[in-house]
């Protein structure tokens, strides 16, 4: 997001407009970007909510995938697995998986907390 904001600022600076109009344009574009980020967050939140309401497999797929990744790393510690070589894309996939797992688990915890609070009212 910071890169986008910086790029927008540079483009606006190159425009031949009065300073006041440049500032207003920059504010308007930043508001649009912020609204877009909020919409993305809402979409992700809705996906996590629906997943949390689903069946056992829908709620458990992330932990199961991470357990498989952990098993691969554990087996690779004691044996030679080509999938664990330095040039393998496995490490990229593991990094993405960890990020998704952490975000997803955080969303689930938030939803559980919100559900408890709504029930207490």
């Amino acid at each position: 997001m910071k890169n986008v904001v910086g790029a927008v600022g540079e483009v606006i600076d190159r425009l031949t407009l009065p300073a006041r109009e440049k500032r207003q344009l920059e504010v308007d574009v930043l508001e649009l970007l912020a609204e877009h980020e909020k919409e993305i967050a809402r979409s992700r939140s809705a996906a996590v909510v629906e997943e949390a309401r689903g069946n056992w497999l829908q709620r458990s797929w992330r932990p199961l995938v991470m357990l498989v990744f952990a098993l691969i790393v554990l087996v690779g510690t004691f044996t030679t697995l080509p999938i664990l070589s330095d040039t393998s894309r496995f490490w990229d996939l593991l990094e993405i998986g960890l990020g998704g797992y952490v975000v997803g688990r955080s969303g689930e915890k938030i939803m559980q907390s919100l559900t408890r609070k709504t029930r207490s009212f």
Side-chain angles (χ1 to χ4, degrees):
M1 179 77 172
K2 289 181 182 180
N3 293 338
V4 172
V5 171
V8 167
E10 289 175 14
V11 169
I12 291 173
D13 285 341
R14 285 186 264 154
L15 295 175
T16 55
L17 295 172
R20 183 181 308 144
E21 289 181 22
K22 283 183 181 181
R23 280 193 301 272
Q24 185 60 46
L25 182 60
E26 190 170 4
V27 167
D28 292 345
V29 169
L30 291 177
E31 285 176 358
L32 286 172
L33 286 172
E35 186 60 36
H36 180 69
E37 286 292 319
K38 285 181 189 176
E39 187 60 36
I40 289 173
R42 280 188 218 119
S43 298
R44 289 179 180 163
S45 174
V48 169
V49 168
E50 289 303 315
E51 192 175 279
R53 290 182 185 158
N55 63 32
W56 177 86
L57 184 59
Q58 288 170 316
R59 290 188 309 269
S60 304
W61 74 270
R62 264 188 257 102
L64 291 172
V65 169
M66 294 314 296
L67 283 172
V68 169
F69 284 171
L71 182 64
I72 290 170
V73 171
L74 182 67
V75 168
T77 302
F78 300 106
T79 63
T80 302
L81 291 177
I83 195 170
L84 296 179
S85 70
D86 290 340
T87 58
S88 173
R89 303 272 331 247
F90 173 80
W91 299 110
D92 296 333
L93 186 60
L94 181 61
E95 187 176 329
I96 292 168
L98 281 172
Y101 180 76
V102 169
V103 169
R105 286 297 295 156
S106 299
E108 287 175 8
K109 297 290 183 182
I110 291 168
M111 284 311 303
Q112 288 173 356
S113 169
L114 290 175
T115 304
R116 276 188 236 121
K117 286 182 182 178
T118 343
R119 288 181 187 163
S120 64
F121 288 118

